[in-house]
Amino acid sequence: MAVTGEPEHLGLDSVHSGLLDCIQANLAVLADHHHGPGTHLRLGAPLTFGSWEGADGLPTVDPPLVQQLHRAPELLGLTVVRQERMAVGDLLARLRADGGVRYVVADAFALPWLPYHGQAHMEHSFLLAAAPGGWHITDAYRSETHWGPAAPGRWVLPEADLAAVEEADIVELAPAGSRMAPAPTPTLSVDDAAVAAYLGAYDACPHRAQAVERLTAETWLLSRARKLHARYRAHFAGRAEETEAEREHLRAWDKVVEQTYVAHRRVSRGRAEPPGIVDRLRDVLAADRTVFGAPPAAAPTAPDDALRHRVAALAGDVLGVDGAALLDGAPFDAFASFSSFRLIEIIERLEDDLGRELDADALVPENLRRVDDLCRIAR
């Protein structure tokens, strides 16, 4: 089963592109498309530490595609229907025949909309569809690179622009069910022996230029994973942002990424490697346990849908506005018709509608600005 819908209907605005790697970014687009904005943040629910042997023998925390897809049903509500490695000509012929949108992974070196084009080899995902005017590309990936920025976007390319793609993985994905499972609790699971072996390999590598260059990508991946985890923890707990302890820890990760890049630039120019790169990485990995070790409190129970619609309709009638905007989270005081008199009218009409008084202790300004605020008081 292919993804349904025209390419332009695959939204990019809901995806936190700066928190995702180049394989996750477009799985995120599909997850939000099928299950609603924010679904992709579930990729950050588990924070684990795993490594795989890279092509040069050094370990990498960048998981292979099969590993990323393995957790797609559980975390994203996406099931792999079929996965094949095929020549690009066969891929395009299939898309011409059956239409739809496919999740594709190919070498970034051959993808002309990326700054890696002609510069660096790495697996990169995108969404591809045949449509009038050429081949439609959707790609939510965002990053700064040596060769310029990669930014989310859509492109229409002639077939000749894809000719350099020799082979690609084509993955057919479908919703895993009509409803998503409850949001998973954030978890931290780290094997200390695995971390020690990983760091030891970089410490002991005699080819320092190679080791430091690889660490620039490794620290970037590790940092993004922790930012995604922190964002999911906030989302799960119903907070608008990370805690101060989490923000401070993420700033420490940013410094590790920065220090590693500076070291790489110096070593690549034949200069001495600054000391302490692996030690600083070891320290922030150890600090993960302190900052992320305890799960956050569960999110407040959401008000039932019927109550939300009752409150929105009532408040909309008082303010003379469309209740749909209030259901989307717009605060009452965002409308010119709002005043303290209108707020009193909303409260009193809600009490009449419910047939009881609201808790007087809860009637403070910060609890009286949105539909969901009033629903929490009214439960």
Side-chain angles (χ1 to χ4, degrees), residues 253-315:
W253 269 103
D254 284 340
K255 290 177 182 177
V256 170
V257 174
E258 179 181 313
Q259 181 185 11
T260 307
Y261 181 68
V262 169
H264 163 57
R265 296 291 290 179
R266 291 187 62 81
V267 172
S268 67
R269 287 172 165 78
R271 297 175 183 173
E273 177 185 339
I277 300 171
V278 177
D279 288 338
R280 176 170 269 189
L281 176 55
R282 182 178 289 109
D283 289 344
V284 290
L285 283 167
D288 283 345
R289 196 181 301 277
T290 301
V291 177
F292 297 133
T301 303
D304 69 80
D305 199 50
L307 177 60
R308 292 188 78 244
H309 280 80
R310 285 171 66 188
V311 173
L314 184 153

Side-chain angles (χ1 to χ4, degrees), residues 52-300:
W52 296 261
E53 185 175 346
D56 56 7
L58 285 168
T60 178
V61 294
D62 191 14
L65 176 61
V66 65
Q67 186 72 22
Q68 297 261 34
L69 295 175
H70 176 70
R71 302 207 71 177
E74 173 191 356
L75 296 178
L76 299 177
L78 299 174
T79 295
V80 176
V81 176
R82 182 166 59 176
Q83 179 183 356
E84 297 177 83
R85 185 79 175 171
M86 62 175 61
V88 70
D90 296 335
L91 165 59
L92 299 182
R94 177 174 294 180
L95 283 174
R96 281 194 204 94
D98 65 14
V101 180
R102 294 297 202 283
Y103 176 84
V104 180
V105 177
D107 187 352
F109 190 89
L111 305 179
W113 64 91
L114 293 172
Y116 305 114
H117 181 229
Q119 301 288 349
H121 294 279
M122 64 187 71
E123 286 192 330
H124 188 92
S125 75
F126 58 98
L127 302 174
L128 180 66
W135 292 96
H136 285 218
I137 307 290
T138 301
D139 189 350
Y141 182 62
R142 183 186 299 278
S143 184
E144 295 293 328
T145 80
H146 301 308
W147 310 283
R154 297 183 180 88
W155 298 265
V156 179
L157 302 180
E159 188 164 325
D161 283 3
L162 298 176
V165 181
E166 296 179 359
E167 284 190 323
D169 282 291
I170 175 172
V171 185
E172 296 187 29
L173 293 151
S178 59
R179 300 184 65 181
M180 285 289 289
T185 300
T187 57
L188 173 70
S189 177
V190 178
D191 183 337
D192 291 338
V195 174
Y198 172 86
L199 295 171
Y202 282 95
D203 248 340
C205 180
H207 306 293
R208 297 315 298 165
Q210 177 188 12
V212 175
E213 180 178 12
R214 280 290 304 278
L215 275 174
T216 60
E218 295 295 305
T219 54
W220 181 89
L221 287 165
L222 288 163
S223 176
R224 278 209 172 189
R226 277 128 190 91
K227 290 177 180 179
L228 178 60
H229 183 65
R231 179 95 299 270
Y232 180 75
R233 285 169 63 91
H235 177 76
F236 180 83
R239 290 184 272 109
E241 58 185 18
E242 296 79 4
T243 66
E244 180 54 38
E246 290 167 346
R247 289 195 293 272
E248 182 178 352
H249 183 53
L250 297 177
R251 287 192 289 269
W253 269 103
D254 284 340
K255 290 177 182 177
V256 170
V257 174
E258 179 181 313
Q259 181 185 11
T260 307
Y261 181 68
V262 169
H264 163 57
R265 296 291 290 179
R266 291 187 62 81
V267 172
S268 67
R269 287 172 165 78
R271 297 175 183 173
E273 177 185 339
I277 300 171
V278 177
D279 288 338
R280 176 170 269 189
L281 176 55
R282 182 178 289 109
D283 289 344
V284 290
L285 283 167
D288 283 345
R289 196 181 301 277
T290 301
V291 177
F292 297 133

Side-chain angles (χ1 to χ4, degrees), residues 10-29 32 38 40-41 43 116 124-125 138-144 150-153 155 220-221 223-225 227-228 231:
L10 296 171
L12 298 175
D13 292 343
S14 70
V15 175
H16 292 69
S17 302
L19 306 180
L20 306 168
D21 66 35
C22 56
I23 300 299
Q24 294 171 329
N26 295 299
L27 290 173
V29 174
D32 282 16
H40 70 282
L41 290 175
L43 285 166
Y116 305 114
H124 188 92
S125 75
T138 301
D139 189 350
Y141 182 62
R142 183 186 299 278
S143 184
E144 295 293 328
W155 298 265
W220 181 89
L221 287 165
S223 176
R224 278 209 172 189
K227 290 177 180 179
L228 178 60
R231 179 95 299 270

